[in-house]
Amino acid sequence: MLQLQRPAVELIPSYEAFMLAMKALGEEAWEPLLRRKGESDRDMAERFLRAETAPEPGLVPETFHWAVNEQNAVVGRIALRHHLIPALQEFGGHIGYEVHPASRRQGVASFMLADLLKTAKAREIGKLLLTCDPMNIGSVKTIEKNGGRLEQIRFVERVKRDTCYYWIEVC
Ligand SMILES: CC(C)(COP(=O)(O)OP(=O)(O)OC[C@H]1O[C@@H](n2cnc3c(N)ncnc32)[C@H](O)[C@@H]1OP(=O)(O)O)[C@@H](O)C(=O)NCCC(=O)NCCS
């Protein structure tokens, strides 16, 4: 059984192994999600929790959650951004997620998004924008099975990618 949990110091080694597994495949790992020079496990967990109330310059407040399995391993991550700025409106939206390469196609992303939509913050925001590459079938299906309504698909010059714009209304 999976559980959505907030970042915690004891989960950092498992979380970091997940990030490194993605990096090893050449997948994008956004710098703020990785360990910084000299940062301890505690510093890292605290930084992720602080993102909710005291984000770093240029970032909007966001709540981080990790999907943790029965073995207490972090198999996925999902973050809810509390509001949009023009850059996120264009690409990124309210929600970002990734699943450990070894745990894909087992329902982890679908579970994380469904559970995230039940949180008080998601309900407070009410209408959530999700963007994804139309070729990312796993992401398209995850969004659509969680109520995503496709508004448009367009090319975004900044990231040089075709991008789907989905909205999920939380009720
Ligand atoms: C996209 C991603 C999050 C999907 O995670 P996941 O846990 O494998 O997704 P799920 O297991 O919940 O799958 C959801 C649906 O998509 C399907 N699916 C998942 N990956 C797929 C793939 N590569 N090809 C075809 N279908 C796929 C599943 O079979 C499932 O279909 P179903 O609802 O008909 O059963 C994961 O592949 C990933 O982390 N990719 C790299 C980062 C990324 O792309 N993040 C999203 C950015 S928008």
Side-chain angles (χ1 to χ4, degrees):
M1 239 219 10
L2 291 173
Q3 282 189 330
L4 215 55
Q5 294 187 17
R6 301 302 315 284
V9 65
E10 63 276 12
L11 293 172
I12 290 287
S14 172
Y15 166 79
E16 197 166 34
F18 158 34
M19 288 294 115
L20 294 177
M22 286 187 53
K23 231 178 143 188
L25 290 179
E27 295 183 355
E28 278 173 62
W30 193 43
E31 185 278 329
L33 300 181
L34 304 176
R35 187 186 297 272
R36 291 179 175 161
K37 208 161 178 251
E39 205 172 42
S40 67
D41 287 5
R42 183 162 301 282
D43 294 337
M44 211 171 157
E46 284 174 357
R47 177 164 59 85
F48 293 152
L49 293 171
R50 238 182 2 254
E52 187 169 25
T53 49
E56 297 184 334
L59 301 180
V60 303
E62 75 187 310
T63 307
F64 287 61
H65 299 270
W66 292 347
V68 178
N69 70 11
E70 300 89 337
Q71 287 78 41
N72 229 23
V74 179
V75 294
R77 152 202 118 85
I78 189 163
L80 175 62
R81 302 182 188 104
H82 296 189
H83 62 85
L84 298 176
I85 53 176
L88 290 171
Q89 232 147 10
E90 187 185 41
F91 188 83
H94 283 101
I95 295 179
Y97 50 83
E98 296 90 25
V99 171
H100 190 301
S103 298
R104 291 183 186 164
R105 305 199 73 165
Q106 296 167 36
V108 176
S110 305
F111 160 80
M112 292 195 302
L113 183 55
D115 230 43
L116 183 83
L117 296 176
K118 295 178 194 153
T119 63
K121 182 51 83 176
R123 286 167 184 273
E124 182 191 316
I125 300 167
K127 197 173 171 204
L128 304 170
L129 175 66
L130 292 92
T131 66
C132 82
D133 187 319
M135 301 306 284
N136 189 341
I137 306 301
S139 198
V140 164
K141 282 186 145 188
T142 296
I143 296 169
E144 289 185 349
K145 70 201 278 192
N146 276 290
R149 190 178 46 77
L150 183 63
E151 180 187 63
Q152 58 167 324
I153 302 177
R154 68 177 175 87
F155 185 75
V156 177
E157 187 58 41
R158 176 164 60 96
V159 291
K160 306 249 178 304
R161 287 190 202 168
D162 281 331
T163 302
C164 296
Y165 293 77
Y166 281 101
W167 289 94
I168 298 181
E169 291 200 41
V170 189
C171 44

